[in-house]
Amino acid sequence: MTKENIVAGTIMITNKAEETFFLVAVEGESNTLPTVEMSGEGKSPLGSIMESLLKHVNVDSESLRLLDLTNIRGNGRNIPLFVFDALEKPADVDTVLTDRSHFAWKKSSDITEILTDWELGGVPIYH
């Protein structure tokens, strides 16, 4: 396994109609989990991914709560995965995106397609 200082994360948000969506990164015709390289500035994995996600989603950081922490494995990589839940419930989830060309909201059925290339583990691995 190769060592990489990458952390992944997503935000789960529910709109006023009670539909739930997950934040994904758009890469050409496909979607993937948002990732960020850990900075050498001493930030924790949690701080690194939270800061990155908040650059692309206009929600109050106080409205995010950590829902799940796991590890994803695949393609010779082990990456911690943080899943946040946003307490805010916008009428239209696209209104909280700051960069619609690189990020989108996908329903849970779509997110399972993204996870098919990864094996989920219960314990995060940090490098």
Side-chain angles (χ1 to χ4, degrees), residues 8-45:
T10 188
I11 297 174
M12 184 176 78
I13 194 166
T14 303
N15 65 13
K16 290 189 180 194
E18 298 298 322
E19 299 170 304
T20 301
F21 299 86
F22 290 87
L23 182 69
V24 297
V26 177
E27 294 181 359
E29 296 292 316
S30 63
N31 298 307
T32 187
L33 291 170
T35 59
V36 66
E37 287 188 39
M38 301 254 307
S39 68
E41 300 170 5
K43 286 187 183 148
S44 68

Side-chain angles (χ1 to χ4, degrees), residues 3 8 12 19 21 45 53-54 60-61 64 70 72 88 90 95 101 116 126:
K3 286 191 175 184
M12 184 176 78
E19 299 170 304
F21 299 86
L53 293 174
L54 287 172
D60 185 352
S61 64
L64 291 182
T70 190
I72 52 177
E88 299 175 25
T95 61
S101 62
T116 56
Y126 300 106

Side-chain angles (χ1 to χ4, degrees), residues 49-85:
I49 192 63
M50 192 169 186
E51 178 181 74
S52 176
L53 293 174
L54 287 172
K55 287 180 184 175
H56 307 291
V57 178
N58 189 18
V59 295
D60 185 352
S61 64
E62 296 293 320
S63 78
L64 291 182
R65 61 182 175 187
L66 184 60
L67 185 65
D68 196 9
L69 171 59
T70 190
N71 192 61
I72 52 177
R73 289 185 284 269
N75 301 325
R77 299 187 293 179
N78 290 309
I79 300 174
L81 170 62
F82 293 87
V83 180
F84 298 95
D85 184 22

